Amino acid sequence: MEILKKIKLSSFEDYRGDLVAIEENMDLPFSIRRIYYMFNLKPNEPRGFHAHKKTQQLAICLRGSCTMLIDNGHEKTKIEMKDPKNGVLIDRMVWHEMHNFSSDCLLLLLASELYDENDYIRDYEIFLNEIN
Ligand code: TYD
């Protein structure tokens, strides 16, 4: 299975600028129950470092750039996120980390579930045990 799932979003571009539309269950494989975004990020303060038991997410870098690390317990890959027309799917049981934020980075996350701390696995060893 492909570890990195990139989603090319529908964009409408004309002389006025660009518009991206995202429809649940169409442009992404889940219904959106939660939206959050991060900004005022620091290049040396990475975030994430967890996996979700149930939640699926789509990450889109709306402005600036950052590096997303995706790890399914068997393979790891990194992707430079800087294109608001491309999302990265963070599936359930995928360890993810976000690094190297540009000072203007604005990162949007669309999530399939409401926030629930019990859905998080924040210990990498526990994550690996759960995977295997
Ligand atoms: P945290 O999980 O540490 O963020 P990251 O994944 O970027 O490392 O979340 C930071 C704080 O925000 C923490 O106190 C939990 C809270 N939070 C919510 O209340 N709702 C949410 O949807 C999210 C993602 C976080």
Side-chain angles (χ1 to χ4, degrees), residues 41-63:
L41 299 157
K42 316 277 179 310
N44 298 320
E45 296 290 354
R47 303 193 64 135
F49 296 86
H50 61 252
H52 290 283
K53 296 175 201 165
K54 187 168 173 215
T55 304
Q56 296 170 281
Q57 301 187 90
L58 184 73
I60 306 158
C61 189
L62 294 182
R63 192 175 57 215

Side-chain angles (χ1 to χ4, degrees), residues 13-119:
E13 296 160 24
D14 62 32
Y15 67 93
R16 299 167 298 174
D18 300 352
L19 184 154
V20 172
I22 304 170
E23 297 193 359
E24 62 179 3
N25 298 314
M26 307 263 283
D27 301 293
L28 71 180
F30 55 83
S31 302
I32 301 162
R33 298 196 72 195
R34 178 166 52 107
I35 295 171
Y36 62 98
Y37 47 94
M38 297 176 218
F39 55 99
N40 283 338
L41 299 157
K42 316 277 179 310
N44 298 320
E45 296 290 354
R47 303 193 64 135
F49 296 86
H50 61 252
H52 290 283
K53 296 175 201 165
K54 187 168 173 215
T55 304
Q56 296 170 281
Q57 301 187 90
L58 184 73
I60 306 158
C61 189
L62 294 182
R63 192 175 57 215
S65 61
C66 67
T67 305
M68 178 74 76
L69 177 143
I70 299 280
D71 175 352
N72 65 7
H74 304 289
E75 261 184 90
K76 293 180 198 198
T77 191
K78 279 183 189 173
I79 181 171
E80 174 81 352
M81 298 194 63
K82 57 177 185 215
D83 180 1
K85 294 176 202 158
N86 273 302
V88 169
L89 194 67
I90 306 170
D91 224 331
R92 52 175 75 93
M93 292 310 282
V94 165
W95 187 265
H96 54 284
E97 300 173 9
M98 292 149 279
H99 296 262
N100 304 326
F101 297 106
S102 65
S103 54
D104 61 346
C105 182
L106 172 59
L107 190 61
L108 175 70
L109 278 295
L110 309 178
S112 66
E113 308 297 329
L114 300 180
Y115 176 73
D116 176 7
E117 188 55 39
N118 295 320
D119 187 52

